[in-house]
Amino acid sequence: MDKSRLEMLAEELGASEQEGKLWRKLLLGAVSGTTGNNLRETLREPLLGLLEELEPTALGAKLKLVIERVPTFPTAELFPLVLELCGELRHDREQAVRKLEDMLSELATPIIRIWTEVLLVPLIGSLDTDRAQAMAERLLERTSTTRARVVVVDVTGVPTIDTAAGGFLIEMFSAVKLLGAEVILTGLKPEIAHTLVKLGVDFRMVAIARDLEDALRQAIAMLEEEKRQRRQIAWGRGSNFPGEGGEHGDI
Amino acid sequence: MARKAKELLDIPADDFEMVVRIVREEDIAVARQMAKQLAQGLGFSLADVTKVATAVSELARNIYRYAQTGKIMIRKRLEENGGPTIQVVAVDRGPGIEDVDLVLTRGYTTYERSLGIGLSGIRRLMDFFEVVSEVGTGTAVVVEKRRRKF
């Protein structure tokens, strides 16, 4: 088969100019007389381009046509190469997905200090994954290092809470409490509230707030109450200045 | 009972609009999402959409936890009186359940980090609930939710 006929075939196969170029390269490379590794290297680049350009079924149909029309086409070399390239592409894609997942887990859950000794955790997405576990660990770490008194957990961005997600939250709440902080849960949507009651997931161990504003108010009230109690203790011990805003207010 | 378990396990997937194979943990979210979409499309109330999605999530998690692999199959049924109904069939060829009544007891679990309220919770979320299981063969759970009229 001479060169001009191959070029005609390439033109026929290529739906776009770019694709035609790839076919031309592939066909001319295939019948150039090289063998073994050299042939594979020659075919590799145009084939990879075609795999990216075309749908797998379309590429398959066109390759079949090529094999029928060009008797000298090195079919035996082509097949393992195609499989290899498909594997590589899939590997690349999986890696891209993994990168995105990593990015997501970093982006997904900020832990925000919204008030003195108050942390806000706006949870987003499913709570039943490793990502959620990692987030819980981070929260515990932050709660401990910042010596937070109150942790406000906002589940507005959580689409559904099933028993696994509920169990996860309960575990997280218990752990936060063990660090000496109170938990305020907020952002439960009405439909989720109903489902939780039906499921029997019990969040009574923590304070519930209607919305973030309410949560912040409750958190500040908790802090004030704690201060007041400490003042009272100080006063009980016979302190000289028990009054409002005295030196012992911030013991 | 045994016959019924086999029958349900071999139920052809072609009869269902959606079939999700549960193999990886991510598949749980996929099943939940599909159930949610179908319920929304049928005009279920927001609360009921959440209930259906939650039940599917529980069923898929049970498969993943106890049988490793299985299928969640979802279809809708249009009834003459009363609104459309969503039927979810969860099947697996896992170890099976020895005592179904015990499993349906609140707080019973063989999984250390579980609340043990999943199956009994699903029963309360849905209108129809049936578990058929045979040790060594597998488990099938059928649940249904009807669209309510307001």
Side-chain angles (χ1 to χ4, degrees):
Chain A
M1 205 159 181
D2 56 50
K3 203 177 157 193
S4 61
R5 282 182 62 191
L6 283 177
E7 278 184 12
M8 265 166 66
L9 181 59
E11 209 167 296
E12 189 191 326
L13 289 167
S16 64
E17 201 179 320
Q18 169 69 10
E19 199 195 331
K21 261 188 210 157
L22 290 165
W23 280 113
R24 188 167 172 271
K25 216 169 173 185
L26 182 79
L27 291 172
L28 294 178
V31 295
S32 59
T34 49
T35 50
N37 272 342
N38 283 340
L39 177 63
R40 284 161 65 93
E41 279 310 308
T42 331
L43 294 183
R44 194 183 171 81
E45 197 202 318
L47 205 53
L48 196 61
L50 286 167
L51 273 169
E52 275 167 4
E53 194 100 338
L54 290 169
E55 290 290 317
T57 43
L59 181 60
K62 283 182 176 177
L63 276 176
K64 195 168 166 241
L65 198 75
V66 168
I67 292 164
E68 278 167 8
R69 295 262 197 98
V70 189
T72 51
F73 198 81
T75 317
E77 294 286 344
L78 187 76
F79 272 116
L81 190 60
V82 169
L83 288 177
E84 197 181 295
L85 291 176
C86 280
E88 263 174 40
L89 283 179
R90 203 180 59 194
H91 183 75
D92 286 354
R93 228 158 274 167
E94 272 169 12
Q95 228 163 15
V97 169
R98 209 160 303 143
K99 248 187 226 158
L100 282 176
E101 277 173 358
D102 287 348
M103 241 165 78
L104 191 69
S105 66
E106 275 177 13
L107 290 175
T109 333
I111 299 172
I112 307 155
R113 181 173 170 271
I114 49 167
W115 202 265
T116 323
E117 303 184 313
V118 182
L119 293 180
L120 167 66
V121 194
L123 293 179
I124 296 159
S126 302
L127 296 182
D128 43 11
T129 52
D130 295 343
R131 185 174 70 81
Q133 282 296 337
M135 187 280 304
E137 276 166 33
R138 250 180 344 111
L139 172 62
L140 294 176
E141 197 61 46
R142 273 291 288 277
T143 309
S144 155
T145 51
T146 59
R147 301 172 58 85
R149 288 266 172 223
V150 185
V151 174
V152 178
V153 178
D154 188 334
V155 291
T156 309
V158 179
T160 39
I161 301 182
D162 59 4
T163 58
F168 164 77
L169 284 174
I170 288 173
E171 262 178 31
M172 191 174 88
F173 296 161
S174 310
V176 169
K177 286 191 143 190
L178 278 178
L179 294 175
E182 286 301 320
V183 177
I184 300 175
L185 177 62
T186 185
L188 283 170
K189 289 188 273 290
E191 65 272 17
I192 290 185
H194 198 189
T195 305
L196 285 175
V197 173
K198 287 261 185 194
L199 279 178
V201 176
D202 190 353
F203 284 141
R204 269 179 298 185
M205 61 185 303
V206 298
I208 309 281
R210 241 168 271 132
D211 47 33
L212 196 53
E213 185 187 332
D214 187 25
L216 190 54
R217 220 189 292 277
Q218 280 191 36
I220 295 167
M222 279 178 190
L223 294 175
E224 290 300 320
E225 173 65 17
E226 209 181 75
K227 264 188 201 163
R228 198 185 60 78
Q229 276 176 6
R230 270 192 248 162
R231 246 181 247 140
Q232 225 166 27
I233 291 166
W235 187 71
R237 281 198 197 124
S239 164
N240 292 327
F241 300 99
E244 290 290 316
E247 295 104 301
H248 300 286
D250 282 312
I251 296 170
Chain B
M1 188 77 170
R3 194 186 58 81
K4 201 169 177 195
K6 282 219 174 60
E7 218 169 82
L8 271 171
L9 283 172
D10 292 331
I11 197 166
D14 298 348
D15 297 353
F16 291 83
E17 269 137 85
M18 296 171 180
V19 177
V20 187
R21 284 187 53 78
I22 307 297
V23 180
R24 297 173 310 158
E25 195 163 20
E26 293 90 277
D27 298 330
I28 299 171
V30 174
R32 181 170 59 212
Q33 208 57 41
M34 291 183 105
K36 199 173 186 174
Q37 265 168 22
L38 186 67
Q40 269 166 349
L42 287 174
F44 277 57
S45 73
L46 195 52
D48 283 351
V49 169
T50 310
K51 280 178 204 161
V52 171
T54 308
V56 168
S57 185
E58 297 285 342
L59 290 170
R61 182 167 308 282
N62 282 346
I63 291 176
Y64 179 73
R65 260 187 199 161
Y66 303 108
Q68 280 77 53
T69 58
K71 272 184 295 190
I72 296 277
M73 303 182 284
I74 309 169
R75 65 179 161 196
K76 60 174 185 240
R77 213 176 46 222
L78 300 167
E79 258 151 54
E80 290 190 6
N81 43 355
T85 299
I86 288 184
Q87 186 187 53
V88 182
V89 181
V91 290
D92 66 66
R93 293 179 188 279
I97 302 168
E98 204 166 322
D99 186 345
V100 173
D101 290 332
L102 178 65
V103 166
L104 286 173
T105 321
R106 249 188 82 92
Y108 175 83
T109 181
T110 56
Y111 192 85
E112 53 172 333
R113 285 184 48 228
S114 157
L115 299 176
I117 52 184
L119 265 186
S120 60
I122 297 170
R123 177 152 66 172
R124 282 194 300 276
L125 287 175
M126 305 299 269
D127 296 327
F128 174 84
F129 176 89
E130 190 181 21
V131 187
V132 182
S133 186
E134 198 190 324
V135 175
T137 308
T139 305
V141 184
V142 183
V143 297
E144 287 179 12
K145 187 90 187 161
R146 209 171 40 247
R147 191 180 78 193
R148 281 174 297 137
K149 280 212 193 91
F150 295 98

